[in-house]
Amino acid sequence: MYKIDFTHPSAVHFVGIGGISMSALAEILADAGFKVSGSENTRSALADRLTSKGIKVFYGQRRENITDDIDCVVFTSAIRPDNPEYIAVQEKNIPCLTRGQLLGQLMKNYRTPIAVSGTHGKTTTTSMISEILLRAGTDPTLSVGGILKSIGGNFRIGGSDCFVTEACEYTNSFLSLFPKIGIILNIEEDHLDFFKDLEDIRHSFRKFAELLPEDGCLIINGSIERPGEITDGLACRVLTYGPDEKNDYYPTDIGYDELGNAGFTLHGPGGSVRRISLRLPGEHNVYNAIAAAALADLLSIDGSVTCEALHDFAGADRRFEYKGSVGGVTVIDDYAHHPTEITATLKAAANYPHKTLWCVFQPHTYTRTRTFMRELAQALTLADRVVLADIFAARETDSLGISSNDLKLALEDLGRECHYFSTFDEIENFLLENCINGDLLITMGAGDVHKIGENLLGI
């Protein structure tokens, strides 16, 4: 594998530079004096930010973007062997790395690299950890899978030995990392265009846990099925969190305020007890906060600082994000695209004041939609009214013969009224005609469905 020499900056080209993680890595290298360029298929706010920083961004991935002065090329997991830039790199024999491999090499520069993994909740938990570390004055380097308002973007370069990043399991990317502290939030079926089944996914998470050194620590959700298969025999220390006293950390007295925001009493090792109030809804965020608090304790951060930071954290971009109100209709946007995430978000919304709960859902990838068709439909029944947009294909080109209309039929089979429109304009017109004062409208999905709410709000 090609090794980046961080003491001698070189020329690095990123294929797929506009992605949330790739853009962060590109900025980190550019800040370190590297000559950075990259390509992206479509223009985005992240790509525009890179351009404003003096990074050359090519729109359209073409072989001529790969010039002879490039020392290394970094690829996202979405790039396939038929990509013209990939072909050019192979023909020119230019060294290349995956995004995960570059991230892993970067982590080696820090004494305390922290990796947050799990099928769900990575961005929110990483954001919570970031807020705690910043409040504690630890000056961390951060790489977050979403836009964090307190750092004005998705990454921050710090001056300490602490580095925090999300660890994505897709294509086993997280197995290229070198964490000292690892967090596993949950393990469920997802990314079945790569993994064979849930057991294959669990095997990868076990391999991730095995990356941790003897003087490291794994913080893991004790509610994961058969947790011993993940933790037994590890060289590192293991801390668990979960719903009861069988775990090192557990909550009691979970409650919600008039806006649905969660609060709970946190019990920790040695009989420690503290009350934590969040500005986020949902029981899932209670457990995200517990994982963050456990990490803070491990780093010897004062418990009061942790409580203050968690209380002040108002959420990451696209995670139950309040967008505004129009005609008395409250508009929320959320990234949920897996049945478990949809269920958690809609259950959280039940505690938010509203008359009718509307969910405009954009399925994400044909593979996920086909795999979880029944589960997606069941989760969406938690909304009062459901509107479906076309499937967001993302990296996929084969429709597998399915469409959002198939999901509509599955919802109707469960007795839930559902509407499907092929364009955002049709959806927006339908909502304008049917949403009334006091309703709660959630735009939901990992694609560009957020544009619907933004268009209604005129932002």
Side-chain angles (χ1 to χ4, degrees):
M1 183 197 306
Y2 180 77
K3 303 291 185 182
I4 294 280
D5 185 349
F6 292 95
T7 64
H8 293 85
S10 54
V12 180
H13 181 83
F14 290 77
V15 182
I17 198 169
I20 193 75
S21 180
M22 289 281 277
S23 63
L25 290 170
E27 281 207 56
I28 289 172
L29 290 192
D31 187 77
F34 284 72
K35 179 183 177 183
V36 177
S37 62
S39 62
E40 191 53 74
N41 283 324
T42 57
R43 192 164 183 168
S44 67
L46 286 173
D48 287 344
R49 175 186 168 100
L50 296 176
T51 301
S52 72
K53 298 283 186 177
I55 295 172
K56 177 64 177 177
V57 178
F58 299 95
Y59 290 101
Q61 289 167 350
R62 298 178 293 271
R63 61 182 300 115
E64 53 264 33
N65 296 341
I66 306 301
T67 54
D68 293 335
D69 61 340
I70 293 173
D71 297 301
C72 176
V73 177
V74 182
F75 292 99
T76 71
S77 56
I79 300 302
R80 302 298 183 229
D82 61 352
N83 181 281
E85 293 190 26
Y86 182 89
I87 294 171
V89 168
Q90 300 304 309
E91 290 176 352
K92 291 176 179 286
N93 201 29
I94 298 174
C96 55
L97 295 170
T98 65
R99 180 199 63 83
Q101 288 169 339
L102 173 57
L103 180 58
Q105 291 188 26
L106 183 64
M107 292 176 81
K108 285 187 171 183
N109 295 331
Y110 296 84
R111 188 177 303 164
T112 310
I114 300 162
V116 181
S117 74
T119 311
H120 323 292
K122 291 186 292 294
T123 296
T124 296
T125 306
T126 304
S127 299
M128 288 176 167
I129 291 167
S130 299
E131 295 293 353
I132 294 169
L133 295 179
L134 291 169
R135 180 67 62 94
T138 61
D139 195 18
T141 294
L142 308 169
S143 178
V144 186
I147 302 301
L148 191 57
K149 293 179 177 61
S150 60
I151 62 175
N154 58 322
F155 89 103
R156 175 188 189 272
I157 298 174
S160 72
D161 285 326
C162 185
F163 179 88
V164 184
T165 184
E166 295 184 31
C168 180
E169 73 275 16
Y170 183 57
T171 68
N172 281 328
S173 175
F174 64 174
L175 299 186
S176 296
L177 306 185
F178 295 91
K180 183 175 182 180
I181 302 173
I183 297 176
I184 299 179
L185 300 168
N186 36 64
I187 304 175
E188 292 192 36
E189 282 186 308
D190 200 7
H191 302 302
L192 294 179
D193 56 331
F194 174 77
F195 292 109
K196 296 175 185 176
D197 50 29
L198 180 57
E199 291 307 307
D200 190 23
I201 297 170
R202 287 174 57 84
H203 175 73
S204 288
F205 274 94
R206 168 67 192 197
K207 291 296 185 184
F208 170 75
E210 290 175 350
L211 296 175
L212 297 166
E214 188 174 347
D215 62 344
C217 183
L218 174 66
I219 299 169
I220 185 170
N221 186 339
S223 298
I224 290 171
E225 185 179 355
R226 308 191 310 276
E229 293 180 3
I230 309 299
T231 60
D232 287 351
L234 293 178
C236 67
R237 179 185 180 188
V238 176
L239 290 171
T240 66
Y241 69 95
D244 54 43
E245 62 275 4
K246 296 176 183 177
N247 298 280
D248 297 300
Y249 289 85
Y250 64 94
T252 59
D253 308 315
I254 297 174
Y256 302 92
D257 66 16
E258 65 278 3
L259 292 178
N261 295 322
F264 61 98
T265 300
L266 175 60
H267 300 261
S272 67
V273 179
R274 64 198 116 154
R275 185 69 188 174
I276 294 178
S277 299
L278 303 177
R279 291 171 62 192
L280 299 173
E283 186 174 291
H284 61 297
N285 279 319
V286 169
Y287 290 100
N288 290 337
I290 293 174
L295 173 68
D297 287 354
L298 189 64
L299 298 178
S300 300
I301 292 173
D302 187 272
S304 63
V305 173
T306 298
C307 292
E308 291 169 4
L310 289 174
H311 174 71
D312 291 344
F313 174 59
D317 185 55
R318 299 216 63 209
R319 273 69 180 179
F320 211 88
E321 181 186 8
Y322 173 78
K323 303 292 289 189
S325 179
V326 55
V329 177
T330 300
V331 180
I332 300 288
D333 182 56
D334 196 271
Y335 192 71
H337 54 285
H338 182 282
T340 300
E341 297 165 352
I342 295 166
T343 299
T345 297
L346 293 179
K347 282 186 175 180
N351 294 312
Y352 197 99
H354 66 275
K355 291 180 180 177
T356 300
L357 173 57
W358 290 79
C359 180
V360 180
F361 180 63
Q362 181 184 46
H364 190 257
T365 76
Y366 301 108
T367 301
R368 185 178 284 111
T369 306
R370 182 183 66 177
T371 301
F372 296 117
M373 182 71 71
R374 185 74 180 179
E375 293 85 352
L376 288 169
Q378 188 66 56
L380 288 167
T381 61
L382 293 173
D384 298 317
R385 306 284 296 277
V386 179
V387 180
L388 297 176
D390 271 335
I391 296 171
F392 190 83
R395 56 188 171 267
E396 296 183 342
T397 56
D398 184 355
S399 72
L400 306 176
I402 62 170
S403 73
S404 289
N405 193 59
D406 295 300
L407 182 55
K408 175 179 181 289
L409 295 174
L411 269 157
E412 290 174 343
D413 284 344
L414 293 173
R416 173 66 71 229
E417 179 185 350
C418 179
H419 303 271
Y420 160 56
F421 300 99
S422 60
T423 68
F424 282 5
D425 282 345
E426 291 174 288
I427 293 174
E428 290 161 20
N429 288 334
F430 178 80
L431 295 172
L432 286 171
E433 292 173 1
N434 290 277
C435 290
I436 63 172
N437 187 359
D439 285 356
L440 175 60
L441 169 65
I442 301 180
T443 55
M444 183 182 291
D448 57 355
V449 67
H450 60 91
K451 294 178 181 177
I452 291 173
E454 292 168 356
N455 290 340
L456 292 174
L457 293 166
I459 59 176

